[in-house]
Amino acid sequence: MINMVRIGNLNKKIQLLKPVLEEDTGLGQQASYVEAGTIWAELLKQRITPGVISGDGSAVLITQGIRIRPNDEIQKGWHIKLKGREYKVIDIDCSDPTVYVLTTETVET
């Protein structure tokens, strides 16, 4: 059975930021991000995953799930901006045709 997204849960306005590769200046191409639209979203509970970074000891990965209506434009590597914070899209779950769930991590600035 398909779970329909409740419109009232999409109560956070987020900006979609698309990466654009800049000219290579000899240090490799850098990406800048341009606004690709604004949509409504639902924030899910943050997930904290313990992990190990080689040679550095243990670390934790904190991800933020974001539920949106289906949007075929958004891809991994895009950024999401919400209330001054920026998140990088690291996965997109499209298994439910009525809703996409983006897994994101905070972008350190």
Side-chain angles (χ1 to χ4, degrees):
M1 183 170 158
I2 296 173
N3 294 326
M4 297 295 285
V5 63
R6 292 181 186 257
I7 298 299
N9 291 346
L10 301 175
N11 58 5
K12 304 289 187 231
K13 201 174 208 179
I14 62 172
Q15 280 183 315
L16 299 176
L17 303 172
K18 178 180 182 176
V20 176
L21 292 178
E22 297 176 351
E23 187 176 327
D24 189 350
T25 59
L27 301 172
Q29 286 185 312
Q30 299 293 317
S32 60
Y33 293 86
V34 296
E35 186 173 347
T38 303
I39 60 172
W40 290 97
E42 174 187 4
L43 295 183
L44 306 174
K45 186 176 179 181
Q46 284 187 338
R47 181 177 298 164
I48 300 171
T49 310
V52 175
I53 299 175
S54 354
D56 241 2
S58 63
V60 239
L61 175 64
I62 301 173
T63 57
Q64 174 67 59
I66 300 174
R67 186 176 288 145
I68 62 172
R69 287 185 177 165
N71 182 327
D72 291 332
E73 188 175 271
I74 193 166
Q75 298 178 18
K76 291 179 186 179
W78 282 39
H79 284 195
I80 303 289
K81 196 169 197 176
L82 170 68
K83 295 183 180 180
R85 296 193 77 178
E86 206 164 304
Y87 302 87
K88 180 180 179 180
V89 177
I90 56 176
D91 189 49
I92 303 171
D93 179 358
C94 308
S95 61
D96 182 341
T98 64
V99 65
Y100 285 2
V101 177
L102 311 177
T103 301
T104 65
E105 63 183 354
T106 303
V107 174
E108 300 298 327
T109 54

